[in-house]
Amino acid sequence: MTRTLLVAGTASHVGKSTVAAGLCRLLADRGVDVAPFKGQNMSNNARVVVRPDAESGDGTDSGSARGGDRWGEIGVSQFVQARAARTTPTTDCNPVLLKPRGDGESQLVLQGEAHDHVPAGTYYEEYWTRAREAAAESYRRLAADNDVIIAEGAGSIGEINLHDRDLANVETADFADAEILLLVDIERGGAFASLYGTIELVPDGLRDRIVGAVITKFRGDPSLLEPGIEEIESRTGVPILGVLPYDDPGLPEEDSVGLPGSEERGVVGDDDGVPADRRLRIAVPRLPRISNATDLEALAAVPGVSVVYLPVDEGGRDGDPAATDPLTGVDADAVVLPGTKNTVDDLLALRAAGYADALAAFDGPIVGLCGGYQLLGERITNAALEGTGEDDVIEGLGLLPVETRFEGEKRLEQTAVPVDGSASPLLSGANGPATGYEIHAGRTEAVGDVTRPLGDSSAASGRVLGTYLHGLFDNESVRAAFLDRVAESAGVDRPTNGVGGGSPSGGAERTGATPSDRAARLVAENVDLAALGEPFVE
């Protein structure tokens, strides 16, 4: 019999992904066959993985997610958790993925295959039964091949308005016959009240499945919590199995909740002690519909590099072309345009916020990743397929002589591309190949002279580079070459110790431990795993 532990929460962002990844690594290191599972996820940070029911391939051919092709997409947390479990991530790890695109709609992805853009009401009325069947089927496949499934819930398991359709929590606990480990974030305040209320509000059939609770993100002396712990255990009968100190193992963010809002400025990576005169500042417009923002985490992990998220006010500048340049006061050494779930609408938002003029006047390196690559071009055709308006042709930022045409099918592919450092001054000295993945709906072609420093998935002209390769900066050679060129352009003598940095999505950190190892240690040192019995204890 496969044992399933559902890591559920009293709210979103309470540490479920971290604890699930840590448990996966602990069990894998003890020789247990373990796999992660999240029945339903909502995230625009996705990864391309194999589909268990797909035709076998050589790992290099591309195609859409339709028609039984090799590739599908899942949320980044289940990808990372599968790696933590030392197993191959597949679409079964996250069979239902909702990718928000604005205006109350999300793209529905079932077992890796992209379907329609649907409002929440339509999803529950027309697709939810099918989604539940897909989730149950994927769980059964995973359970057949593993001794333990570490399932991750979503949001709060105590949302009484959703209990009849809560796929990630209630339904998963039901069809997986799962035990439940309940997490509560004390940093938010009111942790004991939240924990008590959640336990009281879970469906009657799940109450006896709760085997314990863990308090997360605590700063201070854990002994201060003892009176509250004793009281909550007495009132609920649920044991508190641990208190996790506030710590960031470096796992990638599941969604944009951890990023600054689209109307505020925020900095990531400026807490490493490197003085200001030796820092590089990479400006990133915080697109309203940003996706795969984890592409920037590898840069922020490098000592001496700050990733500065800039606001993109969709309200615009009220028609005043003399309004403040959005890059003013940033002292940016380079600009990276990230991916977006809705290229057309984010392009219009950038224009309204003054970025078209600001980027045209910027004389430093500019890189566009996936949707950001599309934004850099001369124009977008068949734009109504992607945006919320009716215009068929939208003028791009005009920084690269390329044109993007949107099509109905996605391109999904894990890939390795050749690196030609001589084809772009931004990558001079880099070598390859560079590995990553593509996940996009548009096709981009040159309409002028460009070079191809990263194969056909890229275009470059002077100080501007665009590519469809997600995970570009996870490649150490590319990352180091890019930062060296940025430093030269800015006249900054950046640190050479730890120059390569680390990739929060799985590379070695400055400490030498991977994020999964750190998550495992965090759990092992602070949670009473003996209370969970075998195989959680040796």
Side-chain angles (χ1 to χ4, degrees), residues 152-178:
E152 180 184 341
S156 170
I157 196 172
E159 300 290 355
I160 56 178
N161 57 310
L162 296 176
H163 279 169
D164 62 338
R165 51 188 174 177
D166 186 351
L167 183 48
N169 295 304
V170 176
E171 296 296 329
T172 293
D174 183 30
F175 63 63
D177 193 22

Side-chain angles (χ1 to χ4, degrees), residues 143-154:
D145 294 331
N146 291 278
D147 300 319
V148 177
I149 302 296
I150 300 297
E152 180 184 341

Side-chain angles (χ1 to χ4, degrees), residues 93-104:
C93 296
N94 176 207
V96 182
L97 176 63
L98 296 169
K99 305 184 74 174
R101 67 187 301 268
D103 299 310

Side-chain angles (χ1 to χ4, degrees), residues 267-270 272 274-283 299-300 302-308 330-334 479-480 482-495 499:
V267 183
V268 180
D270 62 344
D272 53 23
V274 177
D277 62 351
R278 300 191 67 188
R279 302 197 68 81
L280 296 179
R281 293 172 65 83
I282 311 296
L299 293 178
V302 177
V305 176
S306 297
V307 173
V308 185
V330 180
D331 296 324
D333 300 309
R479 180 174 66 245
F482 171 70
L483 292 176
D484 284 343
R485 304 294 80 75
V486 173
E488 289 175 4
S489 173
V492 173
D493 181 21
R494 72 190 188 95
V499 67

